[in-house]
Amino acid sequence: MQNPIAPLLESANRSILGKQHQIRLALCCLLARGHLLIEDIPGVGKTTLAHTLAKLLGLNYQRIQFTSDILPADIIGASIFDPEERSFKFHPGPIFNQMILADEINRSTPKAQSALLEAMEEQQVTVEGKTYHLPSPFFVIATQNPAHQIGTFPLPESQLDRFLMRIELGYPNRNAERELLRGQSRYHLIENLQTELPPEQLKNIQQLVNTVHVSSALLDYLQNIITFTREFPDYPCGLSPRAGLSLLNAAKAWAFMDSRDAVLPEDVQAVLPSVAGHRLRSASQDSGAVVAPILERVNVL
Amino acid sequence: MLASIEKNILLFLLISVGLIALPHIYHIPASIFGFFVLLLTWRFIGIWKPSCLPGKLLLFLLTVGGLVLLYSQHQGLFGRDAGTRLFMTALALKLLEIRQERDLYLIVFLAFIVAASQFLYEQSIAMAGYILFVCCVLLGTLVAINSRRQNTLNALKTSAVILAQALPLAIVLFVFFPRVEAPRWMLFEDKSRAKTGLSDSMEPGSISDLGFSDELVFRVRFQGPIPPNAQRYWRGPVFSVTDGKRWTAAKRYTYTAAAEPDFSEPAYRYTLLLEPQNNNWVFALEMAGDFPPQLHMNSEYLLTRSGNPDKRAEYPFTSYPSYRTGELSGHKLRTNTQLPGPASQKITSLIKRLGGFDTRPEQFVDRVLQHFNRENFSYTLTPPLMEDNPIETFLFETRSGFCSHYAAAFTYLMRVANIPARVVTGYHGGVLNPVGNFLEIRQADAHAWTEVWLENRGWVRVDPTAAVAPERIEQNVNIEQQIASRNISFFSADSELARQLDWLKQARQLWSSVDYNWQRWVINYHSANQTQFLASLGIESLKQMLYWLVGLGALFTSILSWLLLSRKEKTADKVLRCYRRFCARLGKAGLKRNAGEGPLDFAKRSKKAYPKQTEAIDEITGLFIKLRYQKESSQADLSRLSERVDQLKIRRR
C-alpha cells in the first residue's frame, strides 16, 4: 500500500525543520479525529505548524488570537440587527472554519475558553436557540503558554481531556536553527505549499484508520496501562474511559501511518506521552517523564 | 427456563446418568430398572420433542407410580437395596422435571449418590475404575453447564484434569484420615444373597450334582517355600455326629479350647486373606500352630473368628504339617465312635473280610484304602442319588461319588471297627498365581476327608479320595474344576490356539494378582490395618495423626503457595509461550527484555547485540506479531515460530 501520508510528512518537514516526531504526532492526532494542544513558549513555530498542516490538507484555516478580553461571541459569532430586513442576522465567527488555530488559549478567561471547547466537543454551535453545524473536518490546534508565564488562566483538567494530544515543540536543534536562519521566509514557503491530501481523501483515511485491527492481546496491554494509571500512587487521578478510547484511536492512527494493519504495543507507547501526559499531570511540561513509569513497569506481553 | 438449557448439555447429562445406572442392572429388579429406562428414554425423546414431556399432573401420577413400584418391591425404605432403588427412582423422576439450571445441579448430585451406592454392592478394581470414569463424565456435565462451552471433549478434558488433581488429595485422605467403622446397622446386610461355601453339615447322599463355583474363598501368600499339593489341606468344620445320612458337628466342642499338639518341623509361615464368608470359620493349613489372638481354636482344631464374617480379613499363620495330638478323653472317644444304630450284616462282613476288629487299626486303614483302590470305585461329581441308607448303597451298589461320599463311608467303616474317626471338611490344594506368588483357593477346591485317632499318634489325616483318585490329591489335576474355571485346554499343547490360551491364562493371573493387592491394600484397609500401617510410620495415636495431617497440609499449602507466588506468570497462550522461550534464550545470553519493551523494540535491540542473527530475530518477531496482534494467522505460523525459536542459537556475549 502506497502510504498517502508519506509525501505530506515530507512537505511538512521541509517547512518546519527538525520537528519530524512532533509533526507526525500532530498528523496522527488529526487522523484520529482529535484536537491538538501545543504547549510551548512563543515563537518556536506553533503557528507555522498549524498553518502548514492546514495548507497541506487543503483546509480553510482561521487563526483566533485569544486575549484576556476576548468574548465568546468573538469566537462563535453573533446575531446582529439588520436594519434593512428588520431582523437579527447571525454572523458566523472565526470558528466556522475547518482548521482553527486557537493561539494562546490560556490567556483568555474561562468563559471564552469554554465557548471554544464546547464547540470542539459537539461539533456544533448553538446561538439564540438555533444550532449551526461546524464544517467537517473540524480540527482545532490550540496553543498555550507555559503556566508559569504571566497572565495565564490554566485550562482545567476537564477541558484538557478534550484534547486528544498535547505536544511540546521545543527549541530547534542547532542544525535546524541554522537552516532556518539561512533559508527563506517561512511565510512565503507556506503560502506556496501544494495541497497534498484533499479533505475527501482525509475522510477516507480517517475511515481506514478505524479498520486497523486491534487484537485482544493489545487490548490487554492497553487495559493494563489504564489500570496501572488508576492504581499508581504518583498520579492524582488515572486515565478516564474517554482517555482510554483516545489512546486506542491514536495508536490506531499511528499504526496506520506506519503502514501496518494491526496495532502493536509500540504504537501505544509512541502516542502514550502525548495522549496521557496532560491527562495524568496537567502541570508538568515533560510528558515523557510523566509516563515513564508506565512504559517501564507495565508488561507488554 | 428450559429453552435456555442447551441441547448438548442435556444430552451429556442424560448419557452420564445412563452410564451411572448401567451397573445397577445386576442388583435392581427388572421392574424398577425398566421404569428407570422408560423415563430416561422419555427424557431423551424430550430433547428433540419438548412437547411430549409430561405435565405436572402426569408427573405426579408417575411419582405415585414409582412409589407404588418401590413399595411393592420392598415394603420399606431402609436398607441398602431399598435405598438404592429409591434414589434410582427419584433420579429418573427428576429427569422429567428439568426446568431450571438448579434442576441440572440436583440431578448431577443425585447421580453422584447413585454412583457411590454402586460400591455398596461391588468393590472390585474394575468397578472402581468404571465409577471413576463415570464421575469424570458427570463432572464434565458440570463443566459443560457452567462454561457453556460447546465442545464436549474440552469439558471432559477439564473434568479429567480436575479428577487427576483431586486424586493425590484423595489418596492422602484415604491413608491418613481416621477410618470410621460403620456401625452394624449401617452395613446394609442382605441375608438373601446366597454365598456358596462350606456348610455346617454334610449329606452326600442327597446331592446328585455338585455345582462348582469359581468364587474365591481365600488367598495365601507364603513366606518361603510353598508346601506340596498333597499337604495343602485347609482345615474347616469337623463333623463327628451322624444319623447315617447327615453329618454334623458335635455341639459341645464348639467352644472348648484345643490342647496344643506337639509340632515338629518344617513350619510354614503365611498370611491368609479371607474373602467374605457366611460362617465365621477361618481356614488354616493343617495344623495351625501360631495364629492371631483374635481367633479361637476349638478342641477339634477348627479356627473361628468373632465378629462379622461378611468382612474380608487378613491373618498371619504358622502351620506345621507334621503334628501329634494327645490322648482322647472318654467323652470324645464316645462321640467319635458314635453310630446311628448297629451296623448291617453286609457292612460287618465287609469289615471282617478286610481284617477289622482283629488287626491293628493302621493296618485296617490301609486295607480299607486298598479296597477303595482295587475294587471298582470311581470318582465323580455327578453321583446317583442315595436317599436311604446312603453308606451301604455307596459301598456296595453305586460305588461312585465325590470326596464327601468317600469321607463319610470311610469314617463310618472306621467307627464300626471301633476306631475313633471323624469327617473333616475344608479346602484342598489351591492354584498358585505365579505373578503374585500366592495361592488362590476357590469354592471348587472344597474337600472332605477323614481323621482317624490312632494310639500313640493321635489324630491322623486319612484321605480316602486319594485312594480312588490320587491325581485329585497329588497333582491337583481336578479336571472338572478346570473345566469349570475354563482353564483347561482341549487343544494340543503346541497349537497356536493353545499358546494364545496360555497368554490369556497369564493375563488372568496378572489380573488376579492386581485384584489381590487391591483387596489387600484398598478394600481391606480398615481401622486396624490403618493403625498398624500408621504405627509403622511412627504415628501411634489419633491426636498425633491429626497433627501430622495439619502439619502436612500446612507444609503442602505453603510449598504450593510459594511456588505459585514465585513462579513466573505462566500462560496458556502458546504463542506467548514460544516468544517467552525466545526471550529466555536471549536472556540467558545476557540480553534481557524489559517489562515495558515491545517486540519491535526488543528485536531492534537484540539485532544490535547479535547482528548475525538478524534474519532469525526478524522472522521470529514478525511471526510473533502476526500471531499475536494481527487479524489473521494460521497454525502453520505457530509451528514455524516454535521451530524458529528452537533453532535459534545464541552464544553468550
Side-chain angles (χ1 to χ4, degrees), chain B residues 256-463:
Chain B
T256 48
E260 190 169 279
D262 298 330
F263 295 112
S264 46
E265 294 295 312
Y268 292 102
R269 280 180 189 82
Y270 55 92
T271 49
L272 189 143
L273 179 68
L274 195 61
E275 295 292 305
Q277 304 285 317
N278 281 338
N279 299 86
N280 51 3
W281 305 316
V282 177
F283 307 97
L285 191 67
E286 281 192 332
M287 186 59 81
D290 299 325
F291 48 87
Q294 69 262 36
L295 297 182
H296 171 78
M297 188 183 250
N298 72 6
S299 64
E300 287 174 322
Y301 308 112
L302 169 64
L303 286 165
T304 48
R305 56 173 162 172
S306 49
N308 190 3
D310 236 4
K311 260 199 235 153
R312 210 170 264 102
E314 193 175 45
Y315 304 107
F317 287 113
T318 308
S319 285
Y320 303 85
S322 44
Y323 55 90
R324 183 187 290 257
T325 59
E327 287 296 309
L328 212 56
S329 67
H331 188 274
K332 266 206 172 150
L333 182 71
R334 273 198 301 285
T335 312
N336 286 303
T337 50
Q338 169 264 339
L339 287 168
S344 71
Q345 192 60 41
K346 241 177 170 176
I347 285 180
T348 327
S349 63
L350 174 71
I351 290 169
K352 279 203 179 117
R353 194 149 43 88
L354 293 173
F357 310 119
D358 312 328
T359 50
R360 287 188 14 254
E362 287 92 331
Q363 223 168 347
F364 180 65
V365 167
D366 282 346
R367 284 198 185 162
V368 174
L369 289 178
Q370 272 168 25
H371 174 75
F372 281 155
N373 188 273
R374 285 188 194 146
E375 299 292 321
N376 195 20
F377 282 93
S378 65
Y379 181 84
T380 176
L381 291 169
T382 51
L385 275 180
M386 296 161 235
E387 300 273 338
D388 335 299
N389 212 353
I391 291 173
E392 229 177 281
T393 320
F394 170 71
L395 280 174
F396 301 107
E397 285 166 34
T398 63
R399 293 197 166 181
S400 62
F402 47 84
C403 54
S404 306
H405 294 90
Y406 286 96
F410 188 82
T411 309
Y412 185 80
L413 287 179
M414 289 298 131
R415 285 189 178 185
V416 175
N418 284 325
I419 302 168
R422 59 194 184 192
V423 175
V424 184
T425 57
Y427 295 89
H428 174 256
V431 180
L432 180 74
N433 183 321
V435 183
N437 197 34
F438 54 82
L439 283 175
E440 293 172 322
I441 288 91
R442 299 174 182 280
Q443 289 296 2
D445 291 315
H447 191 49
W449 59 94
T450 304
E451 248 179 355
V452 183
W453 191 84
L454 300 173
E455 218 35 89
N456 300 326
R457 286 179 64 187
W459 286 108
V460 174
R461 180 178 66 229
V462 179
D463 191 350

Side-chain angles (χ1 to χ4, degrees), chain A residues 266-280:
Chain A
E266 278 86 350
D267 297 325
V268 179
Q269 293 178 346
V271 297
L272 187 69
S274 322
V275 176
H278 61 293
R279 293 179 159 105
L280 290 174

Side-chain angles (χ1 to χ4, degrees), chain A residues 211 213-215 217-218 220-221 260-266 269 295-301, chain B residues 569 573 576 579-580 583 593-602 624-625 628-632:
Chain A
T211 64
H213 179 68
V214 179
S215 68
L218 189 101
D220 284 343
Y221 177 53
R260 259 183 280 106
D261 58 357
V263 184
L264 296 191
E266 278 86 350
Q269 293 178 346
L295 294 177
E296 200 174 304
R297 297 201 203 172
V298 179
N299 200 341
V300 174
L301 300 184
Chain B
E569 186 189 347
D573 189 347
L576 201 50
Y579 190 71
R580 289 229 168 109
C583 293
R593 190 185 70 84
N594 302 322
E597 197 168 20
L600 282 179
D601 292 342
F602 184 56
F624 173 67
I625 286 172
R628 188 164 165 86
Y629 296 110
Q630 287 187 347
K631 211 177 203 167
E632 276 155 17

Side-chain angles (χ1 to χ4, degrees), chain B residues 95-114:
Chain B
L95 279 179
L96 289 178
E97 208 201 22
I98 301 176
R99 296 191 209 288
Q100 294 167 23
E101 203 170 288
R102 67 174 281 273
D103 294 328
L104 292 180
Y105 290 117
L106 198 74
I107 285 172
V108 169
F109 295 129
L110 255 178
F112 270 121
I113 292 175
V114 172

Side-chain angles (χ1 to χ4, degrees), chain B residues 462-478:
Chain B
V462 179
D463 191 350
T465 317
V468 185
E471 70 282 353
R472 164 86 166 80
I473 304 307
E474 269 146 38
Q475 288 145 28
N476 199 26
V477 180
N478 188 341

